[in-house]
Amino acid sequence: SSGINAEYGLLNQNVSSFIQVRGSVPVFWEQTGIQVGSHKLTITRGYELTQVAYDKHMTILKKNYGLVMILNLLANKPDSDESHLSNQFQAHQMDSIHDDVMIRNFDYHAVCKGGRTEPINALTRTSRPL
């Protein structure tokens, strides 16, 4: 799922707007298996090649949208494929030339169990303004 954009406007004492760009993690990876729980994730290219593509991807996002903040919603369950992909994503941002891009990790399913929404409020309060 890539290339999905949505624009939101917020009005309180100030007017602001943000655009949500939803897509796949900008790392060369593939996932096999169609049964839930049987998906096997594989990183398909070396780290250095992926870093070049990652930086190019961030350059394009910043050119198209201006300031960028990454909200990483991948699970952090230890030793899971999703956690491995999340770690790669974070490592590429740490090594990126785009040190002005903030990355926040938020494992929604782990944090908001049972329909709890309080953690979402905490997330919005602790994210620094761009």
PDB file of all heavy atoms in Angstrom, residues 46 95 110 124:
ATOM      1  N   GLY A  46      21.322  -5.374  -0.201  1.00  0.00           N
ATOM      2  CA  GLY A  46      22.295  -5.024   0.824  1.00  0.00           C
ATOM      3  C   GLY A  46      22.009  -3.663   1.453  1.00  0.00           C
ATOM      4  O   GLY A  46      21.324  -2.817   0.873  1.00  0.00           O
ATOM      5  N   ASP A  95      21.197   6.516   9.822  1.00  0.00           N
ATOM      6  CA  ASP A  95      22.342   6.676   8.932  1.00  0.00           C
ATOM      7  C   ASP A  95      22.055   7.632   7.765  1.00  0.00           C
ATOM      8  O   ASP A  95      22.918   7.851   6.923  1.00  0.00           O
ATOM      9  CB  ASP A  95      22.769   5.320   8.365  1.00  0.00           C
ATOM     10  CG  ASP A  95      23.375   4.421   9.426  1.00  0.00           C
ATOM     11  OD1 ASP A  95      23.814   4.942  10.477  1.00  0.00           O
ATOM     12  OD2 ASP A  95      23.402   3.189   9.221  1.00  0.00           O
ATOM     13  N   ALA A 110       0.063  -3.056  20.402  1.00  0.00           N
ATOM     14  CA  ALA A 110       0.591  -3.343  21.737  1.00  0.00           C
ATOM     15  C   ALA A 110       0.189  -2.260  22.737  1.00  0.00           C
ATOM     16  O   ALA A 110      -0.125  -2.554  23.887  1.00  0.00           O
ATOM     17  CB  ALA A 110       2.113  -3.469  21.687  1.00  0.00           C
ATOM     18  N   THR A 124       0.491  12.391  20.580  1.00  0.00           N
ATOM     19  CA  THR A 124       0.369  13.713  19.961  1.00  0.00           C
ATOM     20  C   THR A 124       0.989  14.795  20.840  1.00  0.00           C
ATOM     21  O   THR A 124       1.519  15.771  20.337  1.00  0.00           O
ATOM     22  CB  THR A 124      -1.096  14.069  19.650  1.00  0.00           C
ATOM     23  OG1 THR A 124      -1.864  14.024  20.846  1.00  0.00           O
ATOM     24  CG2 THR A 124      -1.679  13.121  18.627  1.00  0.00           C
TER      25      THR A 124
END
